[in-house]
Amino acid sequence: MEVRQMATAFLIHHEHVLMMKKAKSKIFNFEFWGGIGGHLEYEELNSPMRASFREIEEETGYKENEIENFTLKYILIEESKDELRQQYVYFGETTHRDFIPSDEGELFWIHKSELMKLKTSKAIRFTIQHYLENPDQRNICVGALTVNEEEVPLIQWSIVKQTVSF
């Protein structure tokens, strides 16, 4: 089984989140929405934040110094065909709303109240929902995507906390 590591960022300006609308992808053959991001390059495997900043600059034009409070909030794990996917999800605030056009998809500022109406992957939907319900969450949450007996997708959240060594 292959392991694919990805980094996704949700950039916020006041009550709006910068979202990317894509016509299709390797996984979906229909229009869907997501954050800003992509796969980690080999030299970024130990630094998903660096990968996230690279993807942000490539896809939006935002430079690292134009993003404040950039924080890892979620690590998502799911199995997809012959891959184990691990996705690092960051949230940050932008100092302005200007972005460059992206070759990856169309960028839009979406009000937080409209996010759950967008067609997203299950992993991103669960993450956005958790973020909206827990806006003051300071710990990193790990989400494992599973299905129940009826094959309905679920997510199991755990908070990452430092353990005490003996």
Side-chain angles (χ1 to χ4, degrees):
M1 178 176 287
E2 296 287 319
V3 175
R4 182 178 302 262
Q5 294 188 65
M6 300 163 285
T8 299
F10 292 97
L11 302 179
I12 300 167
H13 187 79
H14 300 290
E15 291 296 308
H16 292 83
V17 179
L18 188 59
M19 298 291 290
M20 181 176 285
K21 181 171 73 169
K22 296 184 178 188
K24 60 182 179 176
S25 74
K26 294 176 184 174
I27 299 172
F28 303 114
N29 195 22
F30 52 83
E31 179 181 283
F32 70 100
W33 294 79
I36 311 305
H39 299 93
L40 275 63
E41 302 293 338
Y42 177 77
E43 63 276 3
E44 298 168 331
L45 292 177
N46 291 322
S47 183
M49 182 179 278
R50 186 172 66 194
S52 192
F53 279 125
R54 175 185 53 78
E55 290 284 352
I56 290 167
E57 188 168 350
E58 288 175 4
E59 296 179 8
T60 71
Y62 280 103
K63 305 244 186 284
E64 186 174 339
N65 65 352
E66 297 174 296
I67 303 168
E68 300 171 342
N69 304 316
F70 196 69
T71 308
L72 176 63
K73 295 270 188 187
Y74 298 94
I75 301 171
L76 307 176
I77 299 171
E78 67 180 311
E79 185 178 345
S80 178
K81 298 180 184 170
D82 292 335
E83 286 184 337
L84 183 62
R85 294 173 168 254
Q86 185 169 313
Q87 187 168 1
Y88 300 90
V89 182
Y90 294 86
F91 283 77
E93 299 161 5
T94 62
T95 58
H96 60 83
R97 289 176 57 121
D98 302 323
F99 54 79
I100 61 170
S102 176
D103 294 338
E104 300 288 325
E106 294 181 79
L107 295 166
F108 297 91
W109 286 104
I110 307 294
H111 194 275
K112 287 180 181 179
S113 65
E114 300 293 314
L115 292 173
M116 293 305 294
K117 297 176 184 175
L118 301 177
K119 190 175 212 173
T120 65
S121 70
K122 296 291 185 207
I124 294 302
R125 175 167 298 289
F126 287 132
T127 303
I128 290 171
Q129 181 179 9
H130 190 272
Y131 176 77
L132 293 173
E133 292 173 356
N134 302 278
D136 298 324
Q137 177 75 34
R138 298 212 186 282
N139 297 311
I140 298 169
C141 291
V142 175
L145 274 76
T146 62
V147 293
N148 64 13
E149 289 98 22
E150 293 83 31
E151 297 295 313
V152 174
L154 304 169
I155 193 162
Q156 297 175 348
W157 292 110
S158 296
I159 294 175
V160 176
K161 292 193 175 187
Q162 187 173 5
T163 59
V164 178
S165 300
F166 292 99

